[in-house]
Amino acid sequence: MANKSWMGGTFGEAATKTVCKVLTKVVGQTSKAFHQVVLVNLIVGLVQVVCSLIVLKKKRLSIFGTRSQVLGACAFGVSACIYGFLAFTVFLCGGEITLNTFIITLTIVPCAVLDRVIFRDKKLGIRKCCALAIFFLAGYFILGLPSFAEVVKFPLWIWLSLISMLLLAINEVISRSIKDIEPMVKNFWGGLATFVGSLLVLIFLGKADTLFDFHSELVKKLWILGVIGGLFIVVMWICKVRGYSSGATMAAKRLLMDSSYLTMVAVIGVWQFGESMTRWKVVGVLTYFGA
């Protein structure tokens, strides 16, 4: 690829994504019930809307792009909203930040296929197909070489991580499809979709009153975490748009991002959260880089 300027934005996305992952882990550990992670998701969307409005007004830009861009940003927001529910719930259920991230990085497999099927990039070829097979093998190693009986008995958070991985592939398709959108326009409509979706879920759960329950120390803490997370997500979405607008393919971008993301989270998981780095996890990571 002649234009390598996408690498800076992609590495920025990996760094902000790492911070968001740590915050997601903290939110999951702090929360006591599902409606509380929904509350944090709502706050994140609200921060995106407010920040994007401020920036767009300062630049004297409209909140509207083309119809396809607005619809794409809204679709991305809905997908990101669901992903947020899953990501927070993984850690609410006691998930490991390192293993969860390992599973998420396997998104590169469906992304490589979708690059070819949807965007008509170069054929996968024998070498790329072998690489994809090795990616699957890496995932098998990371999970500890489970038998079929053990797979059926996986804890809920692993299944949620696998679903999140597939959902991220959809996110990448949407992002590449609207790569020319103004980043803050994407933040506005995507954040609005996240905000509205989370609010509807809170209302459905009968927990809308917790939104401004500032008498609760837990709610205050969740608001702080949500605002910080929202600010980093604004930056992460900007980096994502710039990566694709500079010519990145989904597979190439995810290769650089996920390798950086995986390394940073693995170090933090062991150092900060005391998670174990088993023999098969190490083998899985090395196999991932080999692929």
Side-chain angles (χ1 to χ4, degrees):
M1 186 179 298
N3 183 5
K4 300 295 184 180
S5 60
W6 59 272
M7 291 184 174
T10 300
F11 184 76
E13 183 181 352
T16 52
K17 206 174 187 71
T18 300
V19 175
C20 289
K21 177 66 73 173
V22 173
L23 289 171
T24 301
K25 171 78 171 179
V26 174
V27 168
Q29 290 180 325
T30 304
S31 301
K32 306 299 181 183
F34 177 69
H35 75 272
Q36 292 168 347
V37 302
V38 175
L39 170 63
V40 176
N41 217 37
L42 180 149
I43 297 167
V44 168
L46 179 61
V47 171
Q48 288 180 270
V49 170
V50 172
C51 287
S52 56
L53 281 175
I54 292 172
V55 174
L56 290 171
K57 184 176 181 180
K58 186 175 181 179
K59 291 184 176 181
R60 297 182 179 179
L61 296 174
S62 170
I63 62 172
F64 298 98
T66 64
R67 179 181 296 181
S68 60
Q69 287 176 342
V70 171
L71 290 175
C74 289
F76 186 91
V78 171
S79 180
C81 180
I82 298 171
Y83 175 79
F85 295 155
L86 294 174
F88 288 127
T89 305
V90 162
F91 299 116
L92 180 64
C93 295
E96 293 184 21
I97 189 173
T98 310
L99 184 53
N100 168 258
T101 304
F102 287 161
I103 295 172
I104 293 298
T105 56
L106 296 176
T107 304
I108 193 172
V109 176
C111 279
V113 175
L114 293 172
D115 268 333
R116 172 59 185 165
V117 173
I118 297 177
F119 299 106
R120 302 299 181 185
D121 288 334
K122 294 179 181 179
K123 292 182 179 179
L124 291 177
I126 295 177
R127 186 173 65 175
K128 288 184 179 180
C129 287
C130 289
L132 294 181
I134 296 174
F135 275 122
F136 278 114
L137 183 62
Y140 185 57
F141 284 143
I142 288 166
L143 292 173
L145 279 72
S147 65
F148 179 76
E150 290 172 327
V151 169
V152 174
K153 295 179 181 179
F154 274 162
L156 176 62
W157 69 266
I158 288 185
W159 288 110
L160 294 178
S161 298
L162 290 167
I163 295 170
S164 299
M165 182 265 290
L166 296 174
L167 190 59
L168 279 181
I170 297 173
N171 285 357
E172 294 296 337
V173 170
I174 298 172
S175 290
R176 190 175 174 188
S177 299
I178 56 172
K179 63 182 181 180
D180 296 324
I181 191 174
E182 159 62 41
M184 299 312 293
V185 171
K186 181 183 179 184
N187 265 290
F188 174 80
W189 291 104
L192 184 61
T194 299
F195 173 80
V196 172
S198 300
L199 180 60
L200 290 175
V201 172
L202 273 182
I203 294 172
F204 176 77
L205 294 174
K207 297 293 183 178
D209 57 325
T210 62
L211 183 56
F212 298 110
D213 183 17
F214 294 121
H215 294 295
S216 168
E217 291 298 321
L218 177 58
V219 171
K220 289 179 183 177
K221 188 171 184 179
L222 292 176
W223 262 93
I224 293 171
L225 291 171
V227 170
I228 295 173
L231 292 172
F232 275 99
I233 285 178
V234 168
V235 178
M236 183 175 72
W237 283 24
I238 291 172
C239 291
K240 183 183 287 290
V241 171
R242 289 181 176 172
Y244 283 122
S245 64
S246 298
T249 63
M250 292 190 298
K253 189 176 81 67
R254 291 213 67 91
L255 179 60
L256 174 61
M257 185 188 72
D258 287 344
S259 58
S260 306
Y261 177 40
L262 183 59
T263 302
M264 290 185 281
V265 170
V267 171
I268 293 172
V270 174
W271 168 58
Q272 193 64 35
F273 295 104
E275 295 180 354
S276 63
M277 183 57 72
T278 65
R279 175 182 60 183
W280 288 117
K281 283 183 182 178
V282 173
V283 172
V285 172
L286 294 177
T287 304
Y288 177 93
F289 286 114

